Amino acid sequence: MNNELVRKFYFKFLFYIFILSFVLIALVILSVICWIQYVKHEEIIFYAIGFTVFAVIALSITIKELFPFFKDLRYVRKKDWCVAEGVVISFKEVHTSADPPTTYFYPNIKVDDSDKLLTLDVDGAQQGEKYEFIYLPYTKLAIIVNEEK
């Protein structure tokens, strides 16, 4: 069961690293090419500035998206999971701008021991059911360990 969470973590982690790094490297290369052309007295300063701005934005997005994964990496290596038991009370709906548009539903769990409300990235949860989850605190990746009837 714990291996499933480790697999889910590394899959998303490596996916983000690959995609975001590819975009960042492409923008840096385009930016450098445009600056080289600008130095050669070609009139493409707007392209050079534009690609540089996009590269800086891509770098900041990469850092923002990967930061929770780096923080959770310590928990994954030690296999030190957070455990929560509670009832799924609703779902948080997240829409992507992909083609075709995709909608993800993340369950909101009311934890039994407190009034804390967790929103986790977990598959297979049904509203109104009580589950025991193991999850990572920063990425909120989770799996269901036990379903209580």
Side-chain angles (χ1 to χ4, degrees):
M1 211 40 124
N2 297 345
N3 289 337
E4 187 180 336
L5 185 58
V6 171
R7 210 176 4 237
K8 187 175 184 178
F9 172 81
Y10 280 117
F11 177 78
K12 282 199 169 194
F13 184 51
L14 293 175
F15 179 76
Y16 277 134
I17 284 177
F18 177 74
I19 295 297
L20 295 173
S21 297
F22 178 77
V23 170
L24 181 62
I25 289 168
L27 286 172
V28 167
I29 289 171
L30 287 172
S31 178
V32 168
I33 289 170
C34 286
W35 283 109
I36 289 171
Q37 293 298 322
Y38 174 70
V39 169
K40 291 181 179 179
H41 305 292
E42 305 228 356
E43 298 297 324
I44 58 168
I45 185 68
F46 295 114
Y47 292 116
I49 292 172
F51 283 126
T52 303
V53 167
F54 283 136
V56 169
I57 291 170
L59 177 63
S60 64
I61 289 171
T62 301
I63 291 169
K64 178 191 166 286
E65 291 295 322
L66 289 177
F67 193 67
F69 285 96
F70 285 118
K71 290 172 81 173
D72 274 347
L73 193 57
R74 178 176 41 137
Y75 291 94
V76 171
R77 286 186 177 156
K78 291 182 180 180
K79 297 192 185 234
D80 184 21
W81 324 114
C82 296
V83 178
E85 189 173 315
V87 177
V88 177
I89 58 171
S90 64
F91 286 89
K92 177 182 175 187
E93 196 172 326
V94 177
H95 301 281
T96 65
S97 59
D99 187 28
T102 308
T103 303
Y104 295 103
F105 297 96
Y106 299 107
N108 293 318
I109 296 112
K110 183 169 182 334
V111 179
D112 287 345
D113 298 343
S114 65
D115 288 336
K116 190 164 78 170
L117 188 66
L118 283 174
T119 301
L120 299 177
D121 182 357
V122 64
D123 297 325
Q126 301 294 323
Q127 189 167 347
E129 297 291 325
K130 186 173 184 177
Y131 299 98
E132 182 180 353
F133 301 93
I134 57 173
Y135 68 97
L136 297 168
Y138 296 102
T139 56
K140 302 297 186 195
L141 294 172
I143 60 170
I144 297 171
V145 177
N146 191 10
E147 179 179 351
E148 297 181 17
K149 297 289 179 176

